[in-house]
Amino acid sequence: MKKDLPDNNVKDIAIAVALERESSESKIWYVYLINLKKEIIENVLITSKGYGEKNGEQVKTSVLRHMIPKVESQGYALIEPIDEATFGLNNEYWLSYYLDGNIYDKKFIFLPESIIESNFIKLPVLNKPGVMIL
């Protein structure tokens, strides 16, 4: 039963969309996992998908799955590149990982139009401009 499961709250883990490079023709964006913990996290699984409404029609992107063997303390891992065309959708990242033999999971959702310059911060660990969900 759900009540029998341990309360494994995800803390000090972030998903960030970073502006990698910018030219007069285009911008290059990447999605990262940032581990702000003092411990290594292992067997990291991430599923990503986009969904929502565009031009009055329901839109869904493919579901992508990523496996990262470990992310060092105060480290980061590249998840995937992301296209600006999806910024008008919900961009969902479902994260699962192991820490000290226990499994943790959390869903991170970038809402439509939340990846905009007025929401940019200097991303910790990466030292790049972007948007982060902690």
Side-chain angles (χ1 to χ4, degrees):
M1 296 291 184
K2 189 172 183 177
K3 65 178 175 52
D4 297 324
L5 295 174
D7 186 25
N8 292 345
N9 291 323
V10 172
K11 295 179 186 157
D12 300 326
I13 299 289
I15 301 288
V17 177
L19 178 58
E20 200 69 23
R21 288 187 306 278
E22 186 174 10
S23 69
S24 57
E25 298 88 40
S26 67
K27 294 180 180 179
I28 307 295
W29 301 87
Y30 288 137
V31 182
Y32 290 93
L33 168 67
I34 302 174
N35 180 9
L36 300 169
K37 292 181 169 302
K38 293 180 179 162
E39 302 90 13
I40 295 171
I41 60 173
E42 298 178 307
N43 297 324
V44 179
L45 299 170
I46 301 168
T47 61
S48 63
K49 66 180 179 179
Y51 57 90
E53 192 173 302
K54 196 164 190 175
N55 300 325
E57 294 191 25
Q58 289 297 314
V59 176
K60 289 183 183 181
T61 67
S62 299
V63 175
L64 302 176
R65 291 169 181 82
H66 310 276
M67 200 304 186
I68 303 165
K70 70 178 181 176
V71 181
E72 296 292 333
S73 167
Q74 300 296 311
Y76 64 90
L78 173 65
I79 298 172
E80 64 186 12
I82 187 169
D83 190 325
E84 271 185 296
T86 65
F87 289 177
L89 301 173
N90 293 296
N91 287 285
E92 178 183 296
Y93 295 86
W94 195 317
L95 165 73
S96 296
Y97 64 89
Y98 282 88
L99 176 63
D100 296 328
N102 295 309
I103 191 166
Y104 294 78
D105 74 323
K106 182 176 180 179
K107 191 184 300 185
F108 298 82
I109 301 174
F110 292 91
L111 297 174
E113 309 304 335
S114 63
I115 306 169
I116 55 174
E117 194 167 340
S118 62
N119 291 338
F120 281 11
I121 61 169
K122 184 177 181 182
L123 298 169
V125 181
L126 292 170
N127 294 319
K128 298 178 184 189
V131 178
M132 178 175 84
I133 299 175
L134 190 59

